[in-house]
Amino acid sequence: MLFKRLNLKLFLLLVPALVFFFAFIIYPVFDAVYTSFFQSDGLSKPVWVGFANWTSELSSPTIYHALGLTLLVMVLSWAVQTPLSLVIGLFLSRESRFTTVLSIFYFTPLLFSAAALGIAWSYILNPNFGLVQAVITNILHLHYVADLLGNTHAVLFTLIVIIAWEFIPFHTLLYQSGARAIPVSLYEAAQLDGVTSWTRLWHITIPQLKNTIVTSSVIMLTGSLTYFDIIFVLTNGGPGDSSDVIALEMYKTAFQQYQFGPGSTIAVTMTVFGLLLSLVLVKTTGFSRMESQMEGA
C-alpha cells in the first residue's frame, strides 16, 4: 500500500514535466511530420500533397548547401571552442582571488540573449562606425575597410568567432567544474615522482576530464544544428547565401515565404539528423558507459 502511494506521489511530481515535454517536444515533432505532407500557407486550407514536399526539398541544392554550411560551422566551432574552453577552464579552476574576479566578467555573455549579443556585435563590426574599424583606422593607421559581415569569404569565419565568444563561457564552466573534481592525491603523487607539468596535463588532467570532454563535445555538436538567432540578427543568411545555415533556411521557408509544408520537411530532416548524430556520438564516445571518477565512488 505504501509502495503504491509512493509511486502515485512520484507520478504526480512527474506530471508537470511530462506535460511540458509532450506539449513542447513530442507534439511539435509529430505536428511537423504531419504538416510536411501538406501544402499550407497558414491561412488557406492545407492541401494534401503526399511526399511532394519531401522529394522537392531533398532534391534541392539549396538544402544541401545549407546543410554543408551547418556541418562546416559544426566542425569549426568544435575545433575552436574545445581547446579554448579546456585551457580557460583549467586556468579558472585554480583557487585565487584573481580568477574569481575574472570569472565574474568572463561569464557575462551567458547573461544576455543571443539577439542582444547579435545587435551588439553588429555595431562593433560595422564598417562605418564600428569599434573594429575604429581600431584599424585610428590605432593601426591602416587604410582598410573591415566589412567582415559583408564579405562572402569572411562572414562564416566571423560568425564562428562570435558564436565561440558566446558559448565558450558555458563550456569553460563544465571544464572548470570537472578540473576541480579531479582528486588532489593524483597530483600529490605525481609531484613526489617529480613529473613535469606537461606530463601531469597529458597523463592525469586530460584522462580525468574524459567525461567532461565527451559531454561538452556532444552538447557542442548537436547544439550547432540550432544556431539560428545570432546568425539571423547579424546576416540573415547573407551576403547572398554564404551564411544560410539549415536552421535559418527552415525559418525563411516557413515564416518568410509562408511555405509551412516544405519548412516542416526541413525541420523534420534537422530532427532526424540531430538524432542520428547523437546516436553516433553516444556509441563512439562511450557517453552511455560513463562512470564516476571521484575518489571512493
Side-chain angles (χ1 to χ4, degrees), residues 86-119:
L86 175 62
V87 171
I88 299 171
L90 292 178
F91 175 72
L92 294 179
S93 66
R94 301 175 180 177
E95 296 288 350
S96 74
R97 187 178 299 175
F98 173 73
T99 56
T100 303
V101 174
L102 181 62
S103 299
I104 295 173
F105 294 100
Y106 180 71
F107 294 120
T108 301
L110 294 175
L111 303 176
F112 298 98
S113 68
L117 295 177
I119 293 172

PDB file of all heavy atoms in Angstrom, residues 86-119:
ATOM      1  N   LEU A  86      38.851  24.324 -22.686  1.00  0.00           N
ATOM      2  CA  LEU A  86      39.665  23.479 -21.817  1.00  0.00           C
ATOM      3  C   LEU A  86      40.755  24.299 -21.117  1.00  0.00           C
ATOM      4  O   LEU A  86      40.915  24.215 -19.888  1.00  0.00           O
ATOM      5  CB  LEU A  86      40.289  22.356 -22.644  1.00  0.00           C
ATOM      6  CG  LEU A  86      41.267  21.430 -21.911  1.00  0.00           C
ATOM      7  CD1 LEU A  86      40.556  20.703 -20.773  1.00  0.00           C
ATOM      8  CD2 LEU A  86      41.887  20.428 -22.880  1.00  0.00           C
ATOM      9  N   VAL A  87      41.471  25.102 -21.897  1.00  0.00           N
ATOM     10  CA  VAL A  87      42.574  25.893 -21.322  1.00  0.00           C
ATOM     11  C   VAL A  87      42.047  26.910 -20.308  1.00  0.00           C
ATOM     12  O   VAL A  87      42.561  27.028 -19.191  1.00  0.00           O
ATOM     13  CB  VAL A  87      43.352  26.606 -22.450  1.00  0.00           C
ATOM     14  CG1 VAL A  87      44.347  27.603 -21.870  1.00  0.00           C
ATOM     15  CG2 VAL A  87      44.083  25.586 -23.315  1.00  0.00           C
ATOM     16  N   ILE A  88      41.002  27.632 -20.684  1.00  0.00           N
ATOM     17  CA  ILE A  88      40.457  28.659 -19.777  1.00  0.00           C
ATOM     18  C   ILE A  88      39.827  28.004 -18.545  1.00  0.00           C
ATOM     19  O   ILE A  88      39.937  28.500 -17.425  1.00  0.00           O
ATOM     20  CB  ILE A  88      39.430  29.539 -20.519  1.00  0.00           C
ATOM     21  CG1 ILE A  88      40.104  30.250 -21.691  1.00  0.00           C
ATOM     22  CG2 ILE A  88      38.831  30.576 -19.586  1.00  0.00           C
ATOM     23  CD1 ILE A  88      39.149  30.977 -22.609  1.00  0.00           C
ATOM     24  N   GLY A  89      39.148  26.859 -18.756  1.00  0.00           N
ATOM     25  CA  GLY A  89      38.543  26.143 -17.629  1.00  0.00           C
ATOM     26  C   GLY A  89      39.593  25.691 -16.628  1.00  0.00           C
ATOM     27  O   GLY A  89      39.399  25.800 -15.407  1.00  0.00           O
ATOM     28  N   LEU A  90      40.730  25.175 -17.120  1.00  0.00           N
ATOM     29  CA  LEU A  90      41.804  24.749 -16.215  1.00  0.00           C
ATOM     30  C   LEU A  90      42.398  25.946 -15.485  1.00  0.00           C
ATOM     31  O   LEU A  90      42.710  25.866 -14.294  1.00  0.00           O
ATOM     32  CB  LEU A  90      42.901  24.030 -17.019  1.00  0.00           C
ATOM     33  CG  LEU A  90      42.522  22.675 -17.616  1.00  0.00           C
ATOM     34  CD1 LEU A  90      43.673  22.104 -18.428  1.00  0.00           C
ATOM     35  CD2 LEU A  90      42.124  21.702 -16.517  1.00  0.00           C
ATOM     36  N   PHE A  91      42.524  27.075 -16.193  1.00  0.00           N
ATOM     37  CA  PHE A  91      43.070  28.277 -15.546  1.00  0.00           C
ATOM     38  C   PHE A  91      42.138  28.799 -14.454  1.00  0.00           C
ATOM     39  O   PHE A  91      42.580  29.136 -13.348  1.00  0.00           O
ATOM     40  CB  PHE A  91      43.298  29.354 -16.610  1.00  0.00           C
ATOM     41  CG  PHE A  91      43.740  30.664 -16.046  1.00  0.00           C
ATOM     42  CD1 PHE A  91      45.025  30.818 -15.545  1.00  0.00           C
ATOM     43  CD2 PHE A  91      42.873  31.743 -15.999  1.00  0.00           C
ATOM     44  CE1 PHE A  91      45.439  32.028 -15.008  1.00  0.00           C
ATOM     45  CE2 PHE A  91      43.279  32.954 -15.458  1.00  0.00           C
ATOM     46  CZ  PHE A  91      44.564  33.096 -14.967  1.00  0.00           C
ATOM     47  N   LEU A  92      40.835  28.823 -14.766  1.00  0.00           N
ATOM     48  CA  LEU A  92      39.872  29.352 -13.792  1.00  0.00           C
ATOM     49  C   LEU A  92      39.587  28.380 -12.651  1.00  0.00           C
ATOM     50  O   LEU A  92      38.956  28.765 -11.662  1.00  0.00           O
ATOM     51  CB  LEU A  92      38.557  29.706 -14.499  1.00  0.00           C
ATOM     52  CG  LEU A  92      38.627  30.855 -15.512  1.00  0.00           C
ATOM     53  CD1 LEU A  92      37.264  31.089 -16.144  1.00  0.00           C
ATOM     54  CD2 LEU A  92      39.118  32.139 -14.838  1.00  0.00           C
ATOM     55  N   SER A  93      40.021  27.124 -12.793  1.00  0.00           N
ATOM     56  CA  SER A  93      39.775  26.147 -11.714  1.00  0.00           C
ATOM     57  C   SER A  93      40.695  26.378 -10.527  1.00  0.00           C
ATOM     58  O   SER A  93      40.473  25.820  -9.447  1.00  0.00           O
ATOM     59  CB  SER A  93      39.962  24.724 -12.241  1.00  0.00           C
ATOM     60  OG  SER A  93      41.313  24.492 -12.598  1.00  0.00           O
ATOM     61  N   ARG A  94      41.734  27.196 -10.723  1.00  0.00           N
ATOM     62  CA  ARG A  94      42.623  27.494  -9.605  1.00  0.00           C
ATOM     63  C   ARG A  94      41.921  28.398  -8.599  1.00  0.00           C
ATOM     64  O   ARG A  94      41.207  29.319  -8.975  1.00  0.00           O
ATOM     65  CB  ARG A  94      43.895  28.192 -10.106  1.00  0.00           C
ATOM     66  CG  ARG A  94      44.681  27.371 -11.115  1.00  0.00           C
ATOM     67  CD  ARG A  94      45.829  28.174 -11.650  1.00  0.00           C
ATOM     68  NE  ARG A  94      46.608  27.425 -12.634  1.00  0.00           N
ATOM     69  CZ  ARG A  94      47.635  27.931 -13.301  1.00  0.00           C
ATOM     70  NH1 ARG A  94      47.996  29.189 -13.095  1.00  0.00           N
ATOM     71  NH2 ARG A  94      48.287  27.188 -14.158  1.00  0.00           N
ATOM     72  N   GLU A  95      42.146  28.125  -7.324  1.00  0.00           N
ATOM     73  CA  GLU A  95      41.524  28.909  -6.261  1.00  0.00           C
ATOM     74  C   GLU A  95      42.362  30.149  -5.989  1.00  0.00           C
ATOM     75  O   GLU A  95      43.433  30.081  -5.376  1.00  0.00           O
ATOM     76  CB  GLU A  95      41.409  28.075  -4.979  1.00  0.00           C
ATOM     77  CG  GLU A  95      40.509  26.859  -5.097  1.00  0.00           C
ATOM     78  CD  GLU A  95      39.041  27.224  -5.173  1.00  0.00           C
ATOM     79  OE1 GLU A  95      38.717  28.410  -4.951  1.00  0.00           O
ATOM     80  OE2 GLU A  95      38.229  26.329  -5.471  1.00  0.00           O
ATOM     81  N   SER A  96      41.921  31.293  -6.499  1.00  0.00           N
ATOM     82  CA  SER A  96      42.598  32.551  -6.195  1.00  0.00           C
ATOM     83  C   SER A  96      41.616  33.693  -6.377  1.00  0.00           C
ATOM     84  O   SER A  96      40.608  33.559  -7.077  1.00  0.00           O
ATOM     85  CB  SER A  96      43.819  32.755  -7.105  1.00  0.00           C
ATOM     86  OG  SER A  96      43.414  33.094  -8.412  1.00  0.00           O
ATOM     87  N   ARG A  97      41.916  34.806  -5.758  1.00  0.00           N
ATOM     88  CA  ARG A  97      41.023  35.961  -5.838  1.00  0.00           C
ATOM     89  C   ARG A  97      40.967  36.500  -7.260  1.00  0.00           C
ATOM     90  O   ARG A  97      39.939  36.941  -7.744  1.00  0.00           O
ATOM     91  CB  ARG A  97      41.519  37.052  -4.884  1.00  0.00           C
ATOM     92  CG  ARG A  97      40.572  38.236  -4.772  1.00  0.00           C
ATOM     93  CD  ARG A  97      41.089  39.256  -3.787  1.00  0.00           C
ATOM     94  NE  ARG A  97      41.225  38.686  -2.450  1.00  0.00           N
ATOM     95  CZ  ARG A  97      41.755  39.335  -1.424  1.00  0.00           C
ATOM     96  NH1 ARG A  97      42.208  40.562  -1.592  1.00  0.00           N
ATOM     97  NH2 ARG A  97      41.846  38.765  -0.234  1.00  0.00           N
ATOM     98  N   PHE A  98      42.102  36.423  -7.972  1.00  0.00           N
ATOM     99  CA  PHE A  98      42.167  36.942  -9.332  1.00  0.00           C
ATOM    100  C   PHE A  98      41.227  36.164 -10.267  1.00  0.00           C
ATOM    101  O   PHE A  98      40.473  36.753 -11.047  1.00  0.00           O
ATOM    102  CB  PHE A  98      43.604  36.852  -9.845  1.00  0.00           C
ATOM    103  CG  PHE A  98      43.753  37.202 -11.289  1.00  0.00           C
ATOM    104  CD1 PHE A  98      43.644  38.516 -11.729  1.00  0.00           C
ATOM    105  CD2 PHE A  98      43.972  36.194 -12.228  1.00  0.00           C
ATOM    106  CE1 PHE A  98      43.764  38.833 -13.066  1.00  0.00           C
ATOM    107  CE2 PHE A  98      44.098  36.500 -13.570  1.00  0.00           C
ATOM    108  CZ  PHE A  98      43.997  37.824 -13.988  1.00  0.00           C
ATOM    109  N   THR A  99      41.259  34.814 -10.185  1.00  0.00           N
ATOM    110  CA  THR A  99      40.401  34.008 -11.062  1.00  0.00           C
ATOM    111  C   THR A  99      38.929  34.181 -10.713  1.00  0.00           C
ATOM    112  O   THR A  99      38.062  34.120 -11.584  1.00  0.00           O
ATOM    113  CB  THR A  99      40.788  32.525 -10.975  1.00  0.00           C
ATOM    114  OG1 THR A  99      40.725  32.092  -9.608  1.00  0.00           O
ATOM    115  CG2 THR A  99      42.177  32.285 -11.529  1.00  0.00           C
ATOM    116  N   THR A 100      38.627  34.421  -9.421  1.00  0.00           N
ATOM    117  CA  THR A 100      37.234  34.642  -9.028  1.00  0.00           C
ATOM    118  C   THR A 100      36.704  35.937  -9.634  1.00  0.00           C
ATOM    119  O   THR A 100      35.593  35.968 -10.183  1.00  0.00           O
ATOM    120  CB  THR A 100      37.122  34.713  -7.488  1.00  0.00           C
ATOM    121  OG1 THR A 100      37.644  33.510  -6.929  1.00  0.00           O
ATOM    122  CG2 THR A 100      35.675  34.881  -7.069  1.00  0.00           C
ATOM    123  N   VAL A 101      37.488  37.000  -9.545  1.00  0.00           N
ATOM    124  CA  VAL A 101      37.072  38.282 -10.131  1.00  0.00           C
ATOM    125  C   VAL A 101      36.962  38.162 -11.645  1.00  0.00           C
ATOM    126  O   VAL A 101      36.007  38.659 -12.261  1.00  0.00           O
ATOM    127  CB  VAL A 101      38.077  39.392  -9.740  1.00  0.00           C
ATOM    128  CG1 VAL A 101      37.739  40.693 -10.461  1.00  0.00           C
ATOM    129  CG2 VAL A 101      38.070  39.600  -8.235  1.00  0.00           C
ATOM    130  N   LEU A 102      37.943  37.478 -12.271  1.00  0.00           N
ATOM    131  CA  LEU A 102      37.921  37.306 -13.719  1.00  0.00           C
ATOM    132  C   LEU A 102      36.695  36.516 -14.165  1.00  0.00           C
ATOM    133  O   LEU A 102      36.092  36.817 -15.200  1.00  0.00           O
ATOM    134  CB  LEU A 102      39.198  36.599 -14.183  1.00  0.00           C
ATOM    135  CG  LEU A 102      39.336  36.367 -15.681  1.00  0.00           C
ATOM    136  CD1 LEU A 102      39.373  37.704 -16.432  1.00  0.00           C
ATOM    137  CD2 LEU A 102      40.602  35.558 -15.992  1.00  0.00           C
ATOM    138  N   SER A 103      36.305  35.504 -13.377  1.00  0.00           N
ATOM    139  CA  SER A 103      35.153  34.677 -13.730  1.00  0.00           C
ATOM    140  C   SER A 103      33.877  35.499 -13.805  1.00  0.00           C
ATOM    141  O   SER A 103      33.014  35.250 -14.655  1.00  0.00           O
ATOM    142  CB  SER A 103      34.986  33.545 -12.712  1.00  0.00           C
ATOM    143  OG  SER A 103      36.119  32.717 -12.690  1.00  0.00           O
ATOM    144  N   ILE A 104      33.752  36.490 -12.902  1.00  0.00           N
ATOM    145  CA  ILE A 104      32.535  37.312 -12.879  1.00  0.00           C
ATOM    146  C   ILE A 104      32.365  38.035 -14.216  1.00  0.00           C
ATOM    147  O   ILE A 104      31.276  38.061 -14.789  1.00  0.00           O
ATOM    148  CB  ILE A 104      32.609  38.328 -11.721  1.00  0.00           C
ATOM    149  CG1 ILE A 104      32.601  37.588 -10.383  1.00  0.00           C
ATOM    150  CG2 ILE A 104      31.446  39.308 -11.799  1.00  0.00           C
ATOM    151  CD1 ILE A 104      32.848  38.495  -9.197  1.00  0.00           C
ATOM    152  N   PHE A 105      33.460  38.587 -14.755  1.00  0.00           N
ATOM    153  CA  PHE A 105      33.381  39.302 -16.033  1.00  0.00           C
ATOM    154  C   PHE A 105      33.338  38.318 -17.209  1.00  0.00           C
ATOM    155  O   PHE A 105      32.666  38.568 -18.198  1.00  0.00           O
ATOM    156  CB  PHE A 105      34.576  40.247 -16.173  1.00  0.00           C
ATOM    157  CG  PHE A 105      34.572  41.363 -15.181  1.00  0.00           C
ATOM    158  CD1 PHE A 105      35.351  41.314 -14.046  1.00  0.00           C
ATOM    159  CD2 PHE A 105      33.745  42.470 -15.375  1.00  0.00           C
ATOM    160  CE1 PHE A 105      35.330  42.343 -13.123  1.00  0.00           C
ATOM    161  CE2 PHE A 105      33.713  43.509 -14.456  1.00  0.00           C
ATOM    162  CZ  PHE A 105      34.512  43.442 -13.327  1.00  0.00           C
ATOM    163  N   TYR A 106      34.069  37.215 -17.059  1.00  0.00           N
ATOM    164  CA  TYR A 106      34.196  36.294 -18.179  1.00  0.00           C
ATOM    165  C   TYR A 106      32.862  35.621 -18.523  1.00  0.00           C
ATOM    166  O   TYR A 106      32.556  35.379 -19.687  1.00  0.00           O
ATOM    167  CB  TYR A 106      35.241  35.226 -17.835  1.00  0.00           C
ATOM    168  CG  TYR A 106      35.445  34.236 -18.937  1.00  0.00           C
ATOM    169  CD1 TYR A 106      36.094  34.613 -20.112  1.00  0.00           C
ATOM    170  CD2 TYR A 106      34.955  32.946 -18.831  1.00  0.00           C
ATOM    171  CE1 TYR A 106      36.254  33.715 -21.144  1.00  0.00           C
ATOM    172  CE2 TYR A 106      35.121  32.041 -19.853  1.00  0.00           C
ATOM    173  CZ  TYR A 106      35.780  32.442 -21.003  1.00  0.00           C
ATOM    174  OH  TYR A 106      35.927  31.558 -22.021  1.00  0.00           O
ATOM    175  N   PHE A 107      32.060  35.311 -17.503  1.00  0.00           N
ATOM    176  CA  PHE A 107      30.804  34.616 -17.756  1.00  0.00           C
ATOM    177  C   PHE A 107      29.650  35.572 -18.074  1.00  0.00           C
ATOM    178  O   PHE A 107      28.500  35.142 -18.174  1.00  0.00           O
ATOM    179  CB  PHE A 107      30.424  33.740 -16.550  1.00  0.00           C
ATOM    180  CG  PHE A 107      31.391  32.614 -16.337  1.00  0.00           C
ATOM    181  CD1 PHE A 107      32.094  32.489 -15.155  1.00  0.00           C
ATOM    182  CD2 PHE A 107      31.605  31.673 -17.328  1.00  0.00           C
ATOM    183  CE1 PHE A 107      33.000  31.456 -14.967  1.00  0.00           C
ATOM    184  CE2 PHE A 107      32.505  30.630 -17.157  1.00  0.00           C
ATOM    185  CZ  PHE A 107      33.206  30.521 -15.977  1.00  0.00           C
ATOM    186  N   THR A 108      29.931  36.849 -18.240  1.00  0.00           N
ATOM    187  CA  THR A 108      28.892  37.835 -18.547  1.00  0.00           C
ATOM    188  C   THR A 108      28.087  37.494 -19.809  1.00  0.00           C
ATOM    189  O   THR A 108      26.861  37.672 -19.825  1.00  0.00           O
ATOM    190  CB  THR A 108      29.514  39.236 -18.684  1.00  0.00           C
ATOM    191  OG1 THR A 108      30.169  39.557 -17.461  1.00  0.00           O
ATOM    192  CG2 THR A 108      28.455  40.289 -18.967  1.00  0.00           C
ATOM    193  N   PRO A 109      28.721  37.017 -20.923  1.00  0.00           N
ATOM    194  CA  PRO A 109      27.915  36.701 -22.125  1.00  0.00           C
ATOM    195  C   PRO A 109      26.784  35.714 -21.875  1.00  0.00           C
ATOM    196  O   PRO A 109      25.789  35.714 -22.606  1.00  0.00           O
ATOM    197  CB  PRO A 109      28.962  36.100 -23.083  1.00  0.00           C
ATOM    198  CG  PRO A 109      30.252  36.700 -22.667  1.00  0.00           C
ATOM    199  CD  PRO A 109      30.152  36.853 -21.178  1.00  0.00           C
ATOM    200  N   LEU A 110      26.913  34.860 -20.831  1.00  0.00           N
ATOM    201  CA  LEU A 110      25.853  33.896 -20.548  1.00  0.00           C
ATOM    202  C   LEU A 110      24.582  34.570 -20.056  1.00  0.00           C
ATOM    203  O   LEU A 110      23.507  33.962 -20.074  1.00  0.00           O
ATOM    204  CB  LEU A 110      26.333  32.884 -19.493  1.00  0.00           C
ATOM    205  CG  LEU A 110      27.463  31.948 -19.919  1.00  0.00           C
ATOM    206  CD1 LEU A 110      27.911  31.096 -18.736  1.00  0.00           C
ATOM    207  CD2 LEU A 110      27.022  31.049 -21.069  1.00  0.00           C
ATOM    208  N   LEU A 111      24.685  35.834 -19.619  1.00  0.00           N
ATOM    209  CA  LEU A 111      23.529  36.519 -19.047  1.00  0.00           C
ATOM    210  C   LEU A 111      22.655  37.172 -20.104  1.00  0.00           C
ATOM    211  O   LEU A 111      21.525  37.545 -19.829  1.00  0.00           O
ATOM    212  CB  LEU A 111      23.991  37.592 -18.045  1.00  0.00           C
ATOM    213  CG  LEU A 111      24.881  37.107 -16.890  1.00  0.00           C
ATOM    214  CD1 LEU A 111      25.323  38.291 -16.049  1.00  0.00           C
ATOM    215  CD2 LEU A 111      24.127  36.092 -16.028  1.00  0.00           C
ATOM    216  N   PHE A 112      23.179  37.322 -21.323  1.00  0.00           N
ATOM    217  CA  PHE A 112      22.444  38.058 -22.356  1.00  0.00           C
ATOM    218  C   PHE A 112      21.874  37.112 -23.406  1.00  0.00           C
ATOM    219  O   PHE A 112      22.418  36.037 -23.659  1.00  0.00           O
ATOM    220  CB  PHE A 112      23.365  39.079 -23.027  1.00  0.00           C
ATOM    221  CG  PHE A 112      23.899  40.120 -22.085  1.00  0.00           C
ATOM    222  CD1 PHE A 112      25.157  40.001 -21.529  1.00  0.00           C
ATOM    223  CD2 PHE A 112      23.112  41.210 -21.742  1.00  0.00           C
ATOM    224  CE1 PHE A 112      25.632  40.957 -20.652  1.00  0.00           C
ATOM    225  CE2 PHE A 112      23.587  42.165 -20.867  1.00  0.00           C
ATOM    226  CZ  PHE A 112      24.848  42.038 -20.322  1.00  0.00           C
ATOM    227  N   SER A 113      20.791  37.539 -24.041  1.00  0.00           N
ATOM    228  CA  SER A 113      20.191  36.738 -25.103  1.00  0.00           C
ATOM    229  C   SER A 113      21.032  36.819 -26.364  1.00  0.00           C
ATOM    230  O   SER A 113      21.808  37.769 -26.556  1.00  0.00           O
ATOM    231  CB  SER A 113      18.773  37.227 -25.393  1.00  0.00           C
ATOM    232  OG  SER A 113      18.823  38.514 -25.983  1.00  0.00           O
ATOM    233  N   ALA A 114      20.854  35.826 -27.244  1.00  0.00           N
ATOM    234  CA  ALA A 114      21.612  35.812 -28.500  1.00  0.00           C
ATOM    235  C   ALA A 114      21.252  37.017 -29.366  1.00  0.00           C
ATOM    236  O   ALA A 114      22.112  37.564 -30.068  1.00  0.00           O
ATOM    237  CB  ALA A 114      21.335  34.517 -29.239  1.00  0.00           C
ATOM    238  N   ALA A 115      19.984  37.443 -29.315  1.00  0.00           N
ATOM    239  CA  ALA A 115      19.569  38.601 -30.111  1.00  0.00           C
ATOM    240  C   ALA A 115      20.285  39.865 -29.648  1.00  0.00           C
ATOM    241  O   ALA A 115      20.758  40.674 -30.464  1.00  0.00           O
ATOM    242  CB  ALA A 115      18.061  38.783 -30.006  1.00  0.00           C
ATOM    243  N   ALA A 116      20.391  40.039 -28.320  1.00  0.00           N
ATOM    244  CA  ALA A 116      21.093  41.216 -27.782  1.00  0.00           C
ATOM    245  C   ALA A 116      22.566  41.181 -28.155  1.00  0.00           C
ATOM    246  O   ALA A 116      23.151  42.211 -28.535  1.00  0.00           O
ATOM    247  CB  ALA A 116      20.932  41.261 -26.258  1.00  0.00           C
ATOM    248  N   LEU A 117      23.177  40.000 -28.063  1.00  0.00           N
ATOM    249  CA  LEU A 117      24.584  39.872 -28.443  1.00  0.00           C
ATOM    250  C   LEU A 117      24.772  40.142 -29.939  1.00  0.00           C
ATOM    251  O   LEU A 117      25.753  40.765 -30.348  1.00  0.00           O
ATOM    252  CB  LEU A 117      25.084  38.462 -28.110  1.00  0.00           C
ATOM    253  CG  LEU A 117      25.115  38.097 -26.615  1.00  0.00           C
ATOM    254  CD1 LEU A 117      25.563  36.649 -26.439  1.00  0.00           C
ATOM    255  CD2 LEU A 117      26.030  39.031 -25.851  1.00  0.00           C
ATOM    256  N   GLY A 118      23.814  39.678 -30.750  1.00  0.00           N
ATOM    257  CA  GLY A 118      23.901  39.911 -32.187  1.00  0.00           C
ATOM    258  C   GLY A 118      23.842  41.386 -32.525  1.00  0.00           C
ATOM    259  O   GLY A 118      24.615  41.880 -33.367  1.00  0.00           O
ATOM    260  N   ILE A 119      22.950  42.117 -31.874  1.00  0.00           N
ATOM    261  CA  ILE A 119      22.846  43.560 -32.119  1.00  0.00           C
ATOM    262  C   ILE A 119      24.138  44.260 -31.692  1.00  0.00           C
ATOM    263  O   ILE A 119      24.652  45.143 -32.396  1.00  0.00           O
ATOM    264  CB  ILE A 119      21.632  44.127 -31.362  1.00  0.00           C
ATOM    265  CG1 ILE A 119      20.327  43.578 -31.969  1.00  0.00           C
ATOM    266  CG2 ILE A 119      21.626  45.652 -31.406  1.00  0.00           C
ATOM    267  CD1 ILE A 119      19.088  43.915 -31.172  1.00  0.00           C
TER     268      ILE A 119
END
